[in-house]
Amino acid sequence: MSHFVTGFIIKADFVHQVRSKYSSLHAVSLEQGFSLFPLTDKLIETLSSNSIGPRDLNNLPNDPTDLLAELSFVCPLLYFETEYFGGEGNQSAVIFENGKIIFDPTQDAIGPINEGLRLLGVITESTSDEFDTIGL
């Protein structure tokens, strides 16, 4: 089984504020009062270029890091990437708050996303890690 997922996670209480800034961002509800904003290839491509996209996307910063830093003034957020194929792969995570990185970018085969989720306040169940606990 393989997957590639990238996005950012915030407390669900702040979804409306994030969406009011950028209505092109779509939230997916997770457990324990968190929400995931998937960053699709199309959105990342728009952020990384000066191409003209849908009306709302024209106002997005040109760099995903700028977007994350800007949105972290609304609330702390965890940006993550995970890519696995046949059980092999990597994951990375970083937390932004008030425009600054408060959890340095970390990459490893296992652990960075769980550590970041723990810092955001995810509480594990006895048989699951943070990733599984919130329904990722």
Side-chain angles (χ1 to χ4, degrees):
M1 184 167 117
S2 67
H3 71 263
F4 175 73
V5 181
T6 184
F8 64 92
I9 297 171
I10 64 170
K11 285 282 202 177
D13 299 343
F14 298 100
V15 167
H16 179 71
Q17 288 173 271
V18 168
R19 296 250 17 248
S20 71
K21 291 178 90 46
Y22 298 113
S23 61
S24 296
L25 298 175
H26 299 284
V28 177
S29 294
L30 300 173
E31 299 293 322
Q32 294 191 11
F34 289 91
S35 289
L36 163 67
F37 286 86
L39 294 180
T40 63
D41 290 341
K42 181 179 178 181
L43 180 58
I44 291 170
E45 181 181 311
T46 301
L47 290 171
S48 300
S49 71
N50 292 321
S51 65
I52 303 297
R55 193 177 132 244
D56 176 28
L57 292 180
N58 291 335
N59 299 320
L60 288 170
N62 284 338
D63 183 311
T65 304
D66 293 342
L67 172 68
L68 299 170
E70 178 185 336
L71 291 175
S72 75
F73 283 103
V74 172
C75 63
L77 64 86
L78 167 72
Y79 170 78
F80 73 97
E81 296 177 357
T82 176
E83 183 172 14
Y84 286 89
F85 180 78
E88 299 291 322
N90 273 309
Q91 58 178 258
S92 56
V94 59
I95 296 178
F96 291 82
E97 184 175 21
N98 294 319
K100 297 180 180 166
I101 292 174
I102 64 164
F103 173 66
D104 288 330
T106 306
Q107 182 176 8
D108 203 343
I110 192 163
I113 296 172
N114 284 331
E115 187 175 349
L117 290 170
R118 212 172 13 261
L119 292 170
L120 279 187
V122 173
I123 300 167
T124 59
E125 298 169 357
S126 61
T127 59
S128 300
D129 62 12
E130 291 80 1
F131 193 89
D132 290 335
T133 296
I134 63 169
L136 290 170

